[in-house]
Amino acid sequence: MPRRISTARGREFGEGMRAAIANAGMNARELADVLGWDEAKVSDVLTGKGGVTILEVALVLGVCRVEAKERDRLLELFPGRDLSGWWQPHGKCAPVRPRTVLTQLTAAETLISWHTHAVPVLLRTADYMRALLTASATVSVDELEERLRVLQEMQKLLSNNLDCTFYIHELALDLRVGGPDEHLSQLQRLMFMANWTKIRILVVPVAAGAHAGIAGPFTQLKFPKYESLVWVETENSSLFVETKEAVGGYEDVVCALDKVSLDEGESMDLIARRCVRLQEAGGADGAVKQDSGEPFPPS
């Protein structure tokens, strides 16, 4: 079946409208009866098809008694629902609950993620994430626990038949986030997750030198019915790349990373050796010792 023309904005708009109707305790047929519309008209509003006006959308939101903040968000989304590509400035820092990311992750069937300097968010332990949030210059301490709860919500999507490939640079494994115990637990978490049927973790070794992914982290999401997109996150904004040419460029990066990365077995062996070294490490600071016959980081 050919993929339908759809955008991240359009899918988020539709998800929000469906939630508004459900929260009002109605289904599409019942809403149509209240408005005196055909049920097909309600479907057109939900999908944002041509011929639907913003006044009709506002009417639906009013009947459903949607709160002002959510009403305004959906009315703002409506005019641009067909626009490809979406840059979201967040102000000082990323939102506690990244609505668009969660919406797209829920709909995706395949995830391909690349990270240069840290463990990808979907593979992080709570302690690892807590240490990163604590070190942040923009995230409020008051939000920390709520952000950790959202992390758990995102990670639950991994068990939703999502096929995942994570590319991680070797240097990200050596960055100690938290104390020695947290570092070890995070590496063990990676080994545990790699045993999942639909999760592959591939390490790009230091020996690869300059590589195609050096520009920075990104995540590609593929959908069963829609064209794929790429999600890029910065300190205070999110970018959802959807044009075919731009997504194709990221796919070229993934192909190049695949050529220089270790395979699954080699990647797990590398991580396992680090775990052993951390367990055997001496000294009050828990630093990994260097063996005289092998350089550090271990290869």
Side-chain angles (χ1 to χ4, degrees), residues 147-217:
R147 287 180 181 274
L148 291 176
R149 286 193 292 271
V150 172
L151 172 66
Q152 291 180 330
E153 181 181 350
M154 292 177 66
Q155 291 178 337
K156 286 180 181 178
L157 297 174
L158 292 177
S159 60
N160 193 27
N161 214 30
L162 185 62
D163 191 283
C164 301
T165 300
F166 294 94
Y167 294 91
I168 308 174
H169 197 277
E170 182 177 359
L171 292 176
L173 304 175
D174 293 321
L175 179 65
R176 197 176 80 180
V177 177
D181 290 342
E182 287 75 22
H183 188 187
L184 176 59
S185 294
Q186 179 60 76
L187 296 182
Q188 291 173 333
R189 170 76 170 176
L190 293 179
M191 296 184 67
F192 171 76
M193 296 300 291
N195 285 319
W196 286 30
T197 304
K198 291 206 166 186
I199 291 182
R200 289 166 297 283
I201 298 176
L202 306 175
V203 176
V204 175
V206 170
H211 55 79
I214 208 162

Side-chain angles (χ1 to χ4, degrees), residues 97-292:
R97 192 174 191 277
R99 184 193 295 261
T100 304
V101 173
L102 287 166
T103 298
Q104 305 311 314
L105 281 174
T106 300
E109 66 174 358
T110 302
L111 176 149
I112 302 173
S113 176
W114 156 242
H115 218 300
T116 54
H117 55 276
V119 171
V121 63
L122 292 174
L123 299 179
R124 293 173 184 171
T125 64
D127 286 338
Y128 186 99
M129 188 67 172
R130 186 189 303 276
L132 287 176
L133 292 172
T134 301
S136 171
T138 59
V139 172
S140 169
V141 175
D142 296 337
E143 300 174 352
L144 195 148
E145 294 303 322
E146 188 176 356
R147 287 180 181 274
L148 291 176
R149 286 193 292 271
V150 172
L151 172 66
Q152 291 180 330
E153 181 181 350
M154 292 177 66
Q155 291 178 337
K156 286 180 181 178
L157 297 174
L158 292 177
S159 60
N160 193 27
N161 214 30
L162 185 62
D163 191 283
C164 301
T165 300
F166 294 94
Y167 294 91
I168 308 174
H169 197 277
E170 182 177 359
L171 292 176
L173 304 175
D174 293 321
L175 179 65
R176 197 176 80 180
V177 177
D181 290 342
E182 287 75 22
H183 188 187
L184 176 59
S185 294
Q186 179 60 76
L187 296 182
Q188 291 173 333
R189 170 76 170 176
L190 293 179
M191 296 184 67
F192 171 76
M193 296 300 291
N195 285 319
W196 286 30
T197 304
K198 291 206 166 186
I199 291 182
R200 289 166 297 283
I201 298 176
L202 306 175
V203 176
V204 175
V206 170
H211 55 79
I214 208 162
F218 62 87
T219 297
Q220 181 180 13
L221 298 174
K222 298 182 180 181
F223 307 91
K225 298 179 181 179
Y226 315 121
E227 296 295 334
S228 64
L229 61 78
V230 171
W231 161 42
V232 182
E233 187 172 34
T234 70
E235 180 70 34
N236 56 11
S237 69
S238 298
L239 175 65
F240 296 89
V241 179
E242 297 181 272
T243 62
K244 188 173 183 179
E245 183 179 19
V247 172
Y250 281 101
E251 289 175 343
D252 291 343
V253 173
V254 170
C255 289
L257 289 173
D258 199 66
K259 290 178 180 178
V260 300
S261 66
L262 304 176
D263 64 28
E264 292 181 69
E266 293 168 335
S267 297
M268 288 306 101
D269 286 345
L270 184 148
I271 296 173
R273 290 199 298 274
R274 278 169 166 72
C275 288
V276 170
R277 288 192 169 205
L278 284 169
Q279 289 170 326
E280 294 178 346
D285 61 356
V288 179
K289 288 184 176 180
Q290 177 178 331
D291 293 339
S292 57

Side-chain angles (χ1 to χ4, degrees), residues 9-54:
R9 297 175 201 247
R11 291 193 291 276
E12 185 163 329
F13 172 78
E15 186 270 341
M17 294 298 292
R18 286 188 291 273
I21 296 171
N23 291 337
M26 292 186 287
N27 56 35
R29 179 183 57 78
E30 292 167 336
L31 177 62
D33 289 342
V34 171
L35 294 170
W37 292 355
D38 291 333
E39 190 172 343
K41 178 71 172 181
V42 175
S43 176
D44 288 347
V45 172
L46 295 179
T47 57
K49 287 186 177 179
V52 175
T53 69
I54 195 168

